[in-house]
Amino acid sequence: MNNIVSKRIRQTPPSFIRGILKAAESEDVISFAGGLPNPISFPQEALKESMDRVVTDYGSRVFQYSTTAGLLSLREYIAEKYRNQYQLAVEPDDIIITTGSQQALDLIAKVLIDEGDNIIMEEPGYLGAIQAFSQYQPHFCGVTLLEDGPDISQLEEVLKQGNVKFAYVVPNFQNPTGLTYSEEKRKAVLDLVRKYHCILVEDDPYGELSFSGKVNGYISKDGLEESILLGTFSKTVTPGMRLGFMIIKDEKLRKYINTAKEAADLHSNIFSQYCLWDYVIHNDLQKHIQKIRELYKEQCQTMIKAMETYFPAEVTFTRPDGGMFIWATLPEGQSAKDLFDKAIQKKVAFVPGDPFYTDGRAANTMRLNYTNASKEMIEEGIRRIGNLF
Amino acid sequence: MNNIVSKRIRQTPPSFIRGILKAAESEDVISFAGGLPNPISFPQEALKESMDRVVTDYGSRVFQYSTTAGLLSLREYIAEKYRNQYQLAVEPDDIIITTGSQQALDLIAKVLIDEGDNIIMEEPGYLGAIQAFSQYQPHFCGVTLLEDGPDISQLEEVLKQGNVKFAYVVPNFQNPTGLTYSEEKRKAVLDLVRKYHCILVEDDPYGELSFSGKVNGYISKDGLEESILLGTFSKTVTPGMRLGFMIIKDEKLRKYINTAKEAADLHSNIFSQYCLWDYVIHNDLQKHIQKIRELYKEQCQTMIKAMETYFPAEVTFTRPDGGMFIWATLPEGQSAKDLFDKAIQKKVAFVPGDPFYTDGRAANTMRLNYTNASKEMIEEGIRRIGNLF
């Protein structure tokens, strides 16, 4: 069947990570490879109460077909949260509920990219986005991500070339690096994308997982007209229900996205939208998030301490203030894939950096997830990797 | 923003039906426009029990990220059902759970269609499919749907032209017509698509809603190698949870679809997959379906009787043996859209046939849904339309 499938899908990388995860799956492997939230972040009992309540209160409406944009009361809750927490003038009509943030990435690419269009990606960048965008055959313009945000002169260089459909950024505790943009970089990015009229896609799955509790604002805060904001409940309530959202002020663009969403799955699971909405209005979500922050902070500190102890000094790594990942860099010329092959022999796994770049390089970098392992496992796993150097 | 969106989305029709549904939404309108299952088909109490049970039994697994192909136990249930009910050699590995059948249509188009490729559609055909396929800019080859299935000489004509990526068919109680392929037509279709090595996409959302209880087999029953079968739980359990499935024997094609599915939403709502699986193993689904059949049969007969009474003899219409829709044809030259405009003044709605054709014709046909109105409303609504002739 190879010769009958579309050019588009032949150019889409199957997820490298899924293969890695398979190797990491067996019970006796200590895995830092996944990106799974800790089960502590699922408020199981409260969600169970919400399920019962919405069936009792709303009956057949929670099981019937529904509207493409999503449950109005959930969109009202999100709009209010964005007005209060981020001082953004968001209205319920600006919001489209998506089947996880992944769907938002697919819809953005579907609606904006014609073959050969330039799009801007952080380098390294989120691989789910690379995969979603690849399907529509763009030309990826990588902009190096430094400690405090993107390389601004590279960014302007790329924007100058023209025909850039959008810039995709993850400014808070980025996946895969854990890095966060500084205030100066945020302003510089905004100035540049506005100067060149390039749509800014701000993806923020991790912003609330800030160890200090301080939640950063959005880059686009002074004008959402040429921006798309993405959010999700996957890291704070449950990823299994696949609920994310897009905020789009531009009405025309939102209509196109709505049409694409309708063609993609008509609407997102309405039962889960009711549950989630019932959960957030009957429970203290901030208190729940605080619990997650405290756990992740401890896990992150444990991993950093272990890396300082067991890794040679030539291996550098990020020190995140939130989120779920640490990014390590081996000395120039060393292959993270080779290290992975040796590590898996010692029953420990991580993700070699390769799939986070759009240029297919053999990377000397690697991503380590700390949210789904105990302190003892983190310590032991890092010790085993340390022994391989 | 019009000038920055992709060519693909500019060529995708926003759903005509959504506009119509808005007009039909107000409480005092009798609507035959939607395609909503009757709430009787949602086993609310049993689903509530299943929710409680899966949270108790499986804990965090029902809330965590999961695999792209879908819950193994649900795929095992589907495979067994297809072996027993349809005598098809389906294995769990042949199945991918999708976010409703609509997602399956999007994935098929994404993976198979390059711009300009031919695809075969029934004329009239399912508008959700027309919308999903349009995004990938195929050339639609319409094949007229007759009382007993497609016009076979037209079908061969089109297949002879070559470069036909797939033929999309809804052989049982089709949407929008309610028509069902005869045994002879099924055989003729299979012979032709095999002769020309064209993939057959068999979509079967309504097959189990057979008034007589007799469930037809699949056209591809003697060889699934060049076929894709689609199924859904939307018409028998709940559409709100958005759960459908694809059966694909060809491993290469399945892998491509899996990659596209991963890029589209990682996986379908796993909580709902657990619920649905728990529901089907703890309840008698066949008995539940029997209840739906009896109700829809009565509603359909009521509508047919009313049409015989109140419509002029020049208006012809189908007499379905199952499913959710009746298709009516006005005398040549009359516009169903004009009739709709008059009908909505009288507070009754249906869908003019136009969006079910790929050639943008002004149609003299119309679709009437009978599953979501009482017998009294059906009688009264048809009477009102009858008065407009």
Side-chain angles (χ1 to χ4, degrees):
Chain A
M1 292 253 189
N2 227 345
N3 52 340
I4 66 146
V5 301
S6 63
K7 201 170 138 202
R8 136 178 5 97
I9 199 69
R10 276 178 271 143
Q11 296 186 356
T12 304
S15 175
F16 184 94
I17 276 217
R18 295 266 155 170
I20 296 260
L21 289 183
K22 238 187 164 74
E25 235 169 34
S26 96
E27 290 243 333
D28 58 342
V29 167
I30 298 177
S31 178
F32 307 132
L36 301 185
N38 194 286
I40 198 186
S41 64
F42 316 147
Q44 297 188 34
E45 286 310 310
L47 283 171
K48 205 167 154 181
E49 280 169 29
S50 289
M51 289 164 201
D52 272 6
R53 198 155 38 218
V54 299
V55 177
T56 305
D57 291 356
Y58 299 98
S60 65
R61 282 158 64 183
V62 307
F63 297 111
Q64 187 56 282
Y65 281 112
S66 189
T67 54
T68 302
L71 183 66
L72 179 60
S73 42
L74 181 60
R75 290 185 287 124
E76 282 169 347
Y77 164 81
I78 296 166
E80 200 186 316
K81 178 174 169 145
Y82 273 69
R83 286 196 299 267
N84 295 338
Q85 181 163 317
Y86 299 104
Q87 286 76 52
L88 287 177
V90 175
E91 301 298 327
D93 278 352
D94 304 332
I95 299 172
I96 295 174
I97 305 290
T98 58
T99 305
S101 278
Q102 186 66 35
Q103 181 179 56
L105 301 174
D106 185 38
L107 297 178
I108 289 168
K110 194 184 270 182
V111 166
L112 289 175
I113 299 174
D114 280 316
E115 186 175 347
D117 281 347
N118 294 321
I119 62 171
I120 291 175
M121 283 292 294
E122 298 162 327
E123 199 100 300
Y126 174 49
L127 70 77
I130 294 174
Q131 199 190 22
F133 301 161
S134 292
Q135 302 177 101
Y136 304 95
Q137 305 162 276
H139 176 248
F140 285 108
C141 305
V143 171
T144 307
L145 189 61
L146 307 169
E147 278 286 319
D148 62 345
D151 182 319
I152 296 296
S153 62
Q154 260 186 41
L155 179 62
E156 177 142 32
E157 208 60 39
V158 169
L159 284 166
K160 263 187 193 156
Q161 290 171 29
N163 189 26
V164 180
K165 280 296 177 79
F166 61 83
Y168 173 78
V169 298
V170 185
N172 299 312
F173 323 127
Q174 192 237 22
N175 181 355
T177 63
L179 293 171
T180 294
Y181 290 20
S182 68
E183 279 307 317
E184 295 69 35
K185 282 282 169 91
R186 283 168 198 258
K187 206 186 156 316
V189 169
L190 184 64
D191 288 349
L192 278 178
V193 293
R194 288 298 173 260
K195 180 173 167 191
Y196 292 95
H197 294 290
C198 166
I199 292 177
L200 185 67
V201 180
E202 273 194 81
D203 192 1
D204 189 31
Y206 311 108
E208 293 192 286
L209 304 180
S210 151
F211 299 155
S212 70
K214 181 185 168 286
V215 173
N216 290 315
Y218 281 83
I219 295 178
S220 315
K221 63 179 182 293
D222 298 322
L224 292 174
E225 282 64 29
E226 289 177 273
S227 289
I228 298 175
L229 308 186
L230 306 185
T232 178
F233 295 95
S234 289
K235 309 304 189 283
T236 50
V237 185
T238 164
M241 288 191 178
R242 314 300 305 117
L243 290 175
F245 53 91
M246 315 175 74
I247 298 175
I248 308 175
K249 276 285 185 193
D250 186 276
E251 197 187 333
K252 264 191 187 161
L253 179 60
R254 199 172 57 240
K255 276 192 177 159
Y256 281 117
I257 295 273
N258 200 71
T259 297
K261 159 84 181 156
E262 191 181 353
D265 63 3
L266 298 184
H267 62 81
S268 295
N269 189 308
I270 187 68
F271 174 77
S272 292
Q273 292 184 61
Y274 269 101
C275 279
L276 182 66
W277 165 72
D278 184 275
Y279 167 76
V280 292
I281 63 161
H282 284 94
N283 295 274
D284 185 344
L285 181 60
Q286 285 310 310
K287 205 172 135 189
H288 172 68
I289 291 174
Q290 188 51 35
K291 249 183 21 196
I292 309 174
R293 285 173 179 152
E294 282 163 19
L295 176 67
Y296 289 4
K297 182 179 177 182
E298 256 188 56
Q299 290 172 307
C300 181
Q301 286 174 342
T302 303
M303 188 172 272
I304 286 174
K305 214 177 131 221
M307 289 167 84
E308 284 169 343
T309 309
Y310 299 114
F311 281 14
E314 313 89 76
V315 178
T316 58
F317 47 88
T318 58
R319 281 159 173 82
D321 299 315
M324 299 172 54
F325 304 103
I326 292 173
W327 184 248
T329 305
L330 308 178
E332 200 72 46
Q334 286 193 27
S335 155
K337 255 189 185 162
D338 290 349
L339 186 66
F340 173 82
D341 291 336
K342 287 191 262 175
I344 204 73
Q345 301 294 323
K346 301 291 176 194
K347 307 277 182 198
V348 56
F350 55 83
V351 184
D354 309 47
F356 301 100
Y357 301 93
T358 56
D359 56 6
R361 74 180 72 172
N364 65 330
T365 46
M366 56 200 257
R367 188 190 78 174
L368 298 131
N369 166 264
Y370 47 77
T371 61
N372 215 10
S374 68
K375 289 212 266 185
E376 294 69 31
M377 283 163 71
I378 291 173
E379 161 100 11
E380 170 61 19
I382 295 295
R383 198 187 57 77
R384 288 188 204 166
I385 301 174
N387 284 339
L388 299 172
F389 290 103
Chain B
M1 290 251 188
N2 227 344
N3 52 339
I4 67 149
V5 301
S6 62
K7 201 170 138 203
R8 137 178 6 95
I9 198 70
R10 276 178 274 141
Q11 296 185 355
T12 304
S15 175
F16 184 94
I17 276 218
R18 296 263 154 175
I20 296 262
L21 289 183
K22 239 187 165 73
E25 236 169 32
S26 97
E27 290 242 333
D28 58 343
V29 168
I30 298 178
S31 178
F32 307 133
L36 302 183
N38 194 285
I40 198 186
S41 64
F42 319 146
Q44 297 189 34
E45 285 310 309
L47 283 171
K48 204 167 156 183
E49 281 169 27
S50 289
M51 290 164 199
D52 272 6
R53 198 156 39 218
V54 300
V55 177
T56 306
D57 290 357
Y58 298 98
S60 65
R61 283 159 63 185
V62 307
F63 297 110
Q64 187 57 282
Y65 281 113
S66 190
T67 53
T68 302
L71 183 66
L72 179 59
S73 42
L74 181 58
R75 290 185 287 123
E76 283 169 347
Y77 163 81
I78 296 167
E80 202 186 314
K81 178 176 167 141
Y82 273 69
R83 287 197 299 267
N84 295 339
Q85 181 164 317
Y86 300 104
Q87 286 76 52
L88 287 177
V90 175
E91 301 298 326
D93 278 353
D94 304 331
I95 298 171
I96 294 175
I97 305 290
T98 57
T99 305
S101 279
Q102 186 67 35
Q103 182 179 55
L105 300 175
D106 186 38
L107 297 177
I108 289 168
K110 194 184 270 181
V111 166
L112 290 175
I113 299 174
D114 281 316
E115 187 175 346
D117 282 347
N118 294 322
I119 62 171
I120 291 174
M121 284 291 292
E122 298 161 328
E123 200 101 297
Y126 175 49
L127 70 80
I130 294 174
Q131 198 189 23
F133 301 161
S134 293
Q135 301 176 102
Y136 304 96
Q137 303 161 275
H139 175 249
F140 286 107
C141 306
V143 171
T144 307
L145 190 59
L146 307 171
E147 278 286 320
D148 62 344
D151 181 319
I152 295 297
S153 62
Q154 261 187 39
L155 178 63
E156 177 141 33
E157 207 61 36
V158 169
L159 284 165
K160 261 188 193 156
Q161 290 172 28
N163 189 28
V164 180
K165 280 296 176 79
F166 61 82
Y168 172 77
V169 298
V170 185
N172 300 312
F173 323 126
Q174 192 237 23
N175 180 353
T177 61
L179 293 171
T180 295
Y181 290 20
S182 68
E183 279 308 318
E184 296 69 35
K185 283 283 168 91
R186 283 167 198 260
K187 207 185 157 313
V189 168
L190 184 66
D191 289 349
L192 277 179
V193 293
R194 288 299 173 259
K195 180 174 167 191
Y196 291 96
H197 294 290
C198 167
I199 293 178
L200 185 67
V201 180
E202 272 193 83
D203 192 0
D204 190 30
Y206 311 107
E208 292 191 288
L209 304 181
S210 150
F211 299 154
S212 70
K214 180 184 170 284
V215 174
N216 291 314
Y218 281 84
I219 295 178
S220 316
K221 63 180 183 291
D222 298 322
L224 291 173
E225 284 62 29
E226 289 178 274
S227 289
I228 299 175
L229 308 187
L230 306 184
T232 179
F233 294 96
S234 289
K235 309 303 188 284
T236 50
V237 185
T238 163
M241 288 190 176
R242 313 299 306 119
L243 289 175
F245 52 91
M246 314 175 74
I247 299 176
I248 308 176
K249 277 285 184 194
D250 185 277
E251 197 186 333
K252 264 193 186 157
L253 179 60
R254 199 172 57 240
K255 276 193 177 159
Y256 281 116
I257 295 274
N258 200 70
T259 297
K261 160 83 182 157
E262 191 179 352
D265 62 4
L266 297 184
H267 62 81
S268 295
N269 190 308
I270 188 66
F271 174 76
S272 292
Q273 292 183 60
Y274 269 102
C275 279
L276 182 65
W277 165 72
D278 183 276
Y279 167 75
V280 292
I281 64 161
H282 284 93
N283 295 274
D284 185 344
L285 182 59
Q286 284 311 311
K287 206 171 133 191
H288 172 67
I289 291 174
Q290 188 51 36
K291 245 182 22 193
I292 308 173
R293 284 174 181 153
E294 283 163 19
L295 176 66
Y296 288 4
K297 182 179 176 183
E298 256 188 55
Q299 291 173 305
C300 182
Q301 285 174 341
T302 303
M303 188 172 272
I304 286 175
K305 214 177 132 223
M307 290 167 83
E308 285 169 345
T309 308
Y310 299 113
F311 281 14
E314 313 88 77
V315 178
T316 59
F317 48 87
T318 58
R319 280 158 174 82
D321 299 315
M324 298 171 54
F325 304 103
I326 292 173
W327 184 248
T329 305
L330 308 178
E332 200 72 45
Q334 286 194 26
S335 155
K337 257 190 184 161
D338 290 349
L339 185 64
F340 173 82
D341 291 336
K342 286 191 262 174
I344 203 74
Q345 301 295 324
K346 301 291 176 194
K347 306 279 182 195
V348 57
F350 55 83
V351 184
D354 309 46
F356 301 101
Y357 301 92
T358 56
D359 57 5
R361 73 180 75 171
N364 64 331
T365 46
M366 56 200 259
R367 189 190 78 174
L368 297 133
N369 165 264
Y370 47 77
T371 61
N372 217 10
S374 68
K375 289 211 266 184
E376 293 69 30
M377 284 161 71
I378 292 173
E379 162 99 9
E380 169 62 17
I382 295 296
R383 199 186 57 78
R384 288 189 204 167
I385 301 174
N387 283 339
L388 300 172
F389 289 104

